[in-house]
Amino acid sequence: MPTEWSDHLLLQFDPLLVWASPLVVNHDYEGDIAAQGDRMVINGLIRPNVGKYNDVAGMTIEDLETVEQYLDISEADYVAFYVRDIERVQVAGALAAPASLESIRALAASTDTFVGTTIAASATALPQVDVSGLSDNVAKGEALLEAIFDMMEKLDTGKVPADRYVVVSPKAKRYLLRAPDVANAAALGEPGATANGVVARLAGFTVVSTTAMPTGVDIVAGHRVYTTFASQFTSFRSQPVEKYRRDQIDALHLYGARVLSFPGGKQPTAPNVAVQNSEGLVKATVKWAA
């Protein structure tokens, strides 16, 4: 049944996400998505000024200002495949078959790649982390950890809320886990620690890793309030195919993402223009040995 396929797909889909997971993005403006090209209008508040009160001057009353931003549902991915006898294969457990699971993995990878690229494009670039001259793996890990502490300081300066994330490439993860502080944090373990790419939690960060890193970026840190993500599986269908003695299963995934301005922070120049150099998102590249 379409509902059964849909529920199974979502159950397998969500844990595969990193960039599009609740650790990294929020779903505060999801609304109703019906088709690719839908647009949600987000009205953000501009931070009001604080005045000094005295009985002579009284108060200056401000009009609250808002900034309009658009969240466009720009992406539409699908999977479509044949099954020979839909009722029989459902009973036989085909929902967990390799073809079904690979379809789900492909959808998750496509979604994560898009969201990661969107976040990195609006993040503030920090100095490159140079580990090319370090031969000791532990020293490389310590250098990467120091870069994350630099990101922590930058986000602290920007008054970014707690419960932040750091997304690292698989190569950065390899050496970062050699740093004793990270290795010890990862070794402690906790329920669900492997879901959504979680590596460890330390220094106020949830450290996650993914292969869907934006080109030229090895580390990204930030907070979920700065990026909103809207997603919906729609038009989930099963139907007989006229030409063949088979049934067709297909699913359409609609989604979009946007980096938001924050009160008192960087503001977009127009509702459909992305925020640049967000104070709540930072990124860095790593120079590896040739």
Side-chain angles (χ1 to χ4, degrees), residues 16 52 64 87 93 104 119 122 137 144 155 208 215 232 270 286:
L16 296 173
K52 295 295 185 180
L64 285 180
E87 293 183 0
I104 295 167
I119 292 173
S122 290
N137 290 339
L144 294 172
L155 296 176
V208 298
T215 302
Q232 183 170 310
V286 177

Side-chain angles (χ1 to χ4, degrees), residues 165-242:
Y165 65 83
V166 173
V167 184
V168 299
S169 67
K171 191 167 186 177
K173 170 189 171 182
R174 171 190 173 184
Y175 293 106
L176 192 60
L177 284 172
R178 301 299 296 271
D181 288 341
V182 180
N184 292 337
L188 292 176
E190 59 183 281
T194 58
N196 302 114
V198 173
V199 176
R201 291 187 171 94
L202 78 164
F205 287 111
T206 298
V207 184
V208 298
S209 181
T210 177
T211 57
M213 292 298 292
T215 302
V217 178
D218 292 280
I219 310 173
V220 178
H223 193 283
R224 63 188 299 273
V225 298
Y226 286 86
T227 307
T228 193
F229 174 67
S231 166
Q232 183 170 310
F233 282 92
T234 187
S235 302
F236 215 100
R237 305 179 302 178
S238 66
Q239 57 189 355
V241 179
E242 183 176 348

Side-chain angles (χ1 to χ4, degrees), residues 108-177:
S110 180
T111 302
D112 253 6
T113 298
F114 171 79
V115 177
T117 300
T118 300
I119 292 173
S122 290
T124 300
L126 297 187
Q128 184 183 60
V129 184
D130 187 357
V131 299
S132 61
L134 302 175
S135 58
D136 182 71
N137 290 339
V138 174
K140 291 179 182 178
E142 291 288 355
L144 294 172
L145 182 58
E146 191 63 32
I148 291 175
F149 287 147
D150 289 341
M151 290 180 166
M152 177 182 66
E153 182 179 0
K154 179 72 173 177
L155 296 176
D156 285 346
T157 303
K159 297 182 174 60
V160 175
D163 298 324
R164 303 162 185 167
Y165 65 83
V166 173
V167 184
V168 299
S169 67
K171 191 167 186 177
K173 170 189 171 182
R174 171 190 173 184
Y175 293 106
L176 192 60
L177 284 172

Side-chain angles (χ1 to χ4, degrees), residues 14 30 35-36 117 132 213 248 265:
D14 289 345
E30 197 149 46
Q36 184 181 21
T117 300
S132 61
M213 292 298 292
Q248 173 187 326

